[in-house]
Amino acid sequence: MTDTDRSAGNVTFPRIGSVGLDGLLVSFGDRLSEAGNRAALAFRAAVERESPEGVAETSTSLVSTFLRLDALHADPDAVAREMQALLDSRDWYSADLPQGRRLWRIPTIYGTDLAPQLEEAAEEAGLSPETAAREIAGTRVRVQTIGFAPGQPYLGELPEHWNIPRQQALTERVPVGALVLAIRQLVLFSVSTPTGWRHIGQTGFRLFRPEAEEPFVLRPGDEVIFDSVEREAYNRLCDAGPDGGATCEAIR
């Protein structure tokens, strides 16, 4: 273990646990933090580079790395020992983020009838709608994990005043490309669905493209800026294709 291990109650992180018959979960915390998310992303990248025998697949959640083992050939105890040695090799909480990440700029319209809960969310955060939209549009956020729906990113973290709760009641449905907010995070919806998160922005970006060679457009570790655009530009960009005017560049 390193001198930056985290503790929560009687549990010390990082730690390795079993998941079902063929999984190991390497956890870097019991709640979201920038350092925990960084550690999970960096550790997964290291496992991918090492390609340890018996590991068939990896993925990350907000603060954990999951390893699915080859149930027919892997020795779970041997893999766990190898993962422990890798954990002990460095301070993962301050590790460099993986290579190959991209910065996306996604045109977004804030408020209006397309995203009707901006004012409500801004009031919860103690801001005016104009200030709220300007602040979110100016914040560069990281794709912390993909989950809930195909290709759907959780992004963050926003400043502390955005630690606002989810709604007590569900919004019946938000459209594909909806930008929603709660608990210092943004979610960009890949499907049309009910939600308890407040709908504060709308994009023309289609995240899930089952017809494509890579059906999930965003990857954990990518960064996003939700640039503010006016209604006329938004309508024009939506008509231009599934990117909705979004652009990306390599992060160096």
Side-chain angles (χ1 to χ4, degrees):
M1 298 292 180
T2 72
D3 60 5
T4 54
D5 290 342
R6 273 59 172 171
S7 295
N10 295 323
V11 180
T12 299
F13 296 98
R15 62 171 178 164
I16 300 175
S18 298
V19 180
L21 299 176
D22 63 349
L24 293 177
L25 189 68
V26 183
S27 300
F28 295 92
D30 63 351
R31 66 193 63 190
L32 176 60
S33 68
E34 193 283 331
N37 183 249
R38 172 182 292 269
L41 293 170
F43 188 79
R44 180 194 182 187
V47 172
E48 292 283 329
R49 288 194 301 270
E50 297 283 337
S51 300
E53 184 176 354
V55 176
E57 183 181 10
T58 68
S59 63
T60 55
S61 62
L62 291 174
V63 292
S64 300
T65 301
F66 174 72
L67 287 68
R68 184 176 67 81
L69 308 183
D70 181 340
L72 295 178
H73 303 102
D75 178 347
D77 292 335
V79 175
R81 288 193 296 270
E82 189 173 355
M83 292 303 99
Q84 186 63 61
L86 184 59
L87 269 182
D88 292 341
S89 69
R90 65 174 305 172
D91 175 9
W92 294 99
Y93 295 100
S94 59
D96 291 337
L97 288 164
Q99 297 295 308
R101 298 181 307 119
R102 301 160 299 171
L103 171 63
W104 290 85
R105 303 191 76 107
I106 302 177
T108 306
I109 186 166
Y110 290 92
T112 78
D113 58 306
L114 295 178
Q117 293 175 299
L118 173 64
E119 185 172 351
E120 182 181 332
E123 184 177 357
E124 288 279 344
L127 302 174
S128 69
E130 296 77 16
T131 300
R134 187 164 55 248
E135 181 175 275
I136 294 168
T139 301
R140 184 164 159 168
V141 289
R142 181 192 304 158
V143 177
Q144 298 166 318
T145 192
I146 301 291
F148 180 75
Q152 182 163 296
Y154 287 72
L155 307 108
E157 288 182 292
L158 295 172
E160 177 62 35
H161 53 264
W162 285 112
N163 191 21
I164 66 175
R166 300 176 185 87
Q167 304 172 113
Q168 293 187 350
L170 289 177
T171 298
E172 185 173 336
R173 189 161 297 276
V174 294
V176 173
L179 184 66
V180 302
L181 184 151
I183 51 175
R184 296 184 66 185
Q185 290 178 288
L186 297 166
V187 174
L188 185 59
F189 272 97
S190 64
V191 297
S192 178
T193 182
T195 183
W197 297 49
R198 290 176 174 86
H199 186 186
I200 55 98
Q202 184 61 42
T203 77
F205 193 59
R206 189 156 64 90
L207 291 157
F208 178 46
R209 306 178 190 181
E211 73 285 353
E213 184 176 343
E214 292 189 21
F216 295 176
V217 181
L218 298 183
R219 307 170 192 155
D222 282 354
E223 297 182 12
V224 179
I225 298 173
F226 290 98
D227 287 322
S228 178
V229 295
E230 299 298 327
R231 186 66 168 263
E232 183 178 347
Y234 169 81
N235 291 338
R236 184 176 68 252
L237 293 170
C238 285
D239 291 338
D243 286 346
T247 61
C248 79
E249 60 185 76
I251 296 176
R252 304 188 186 281

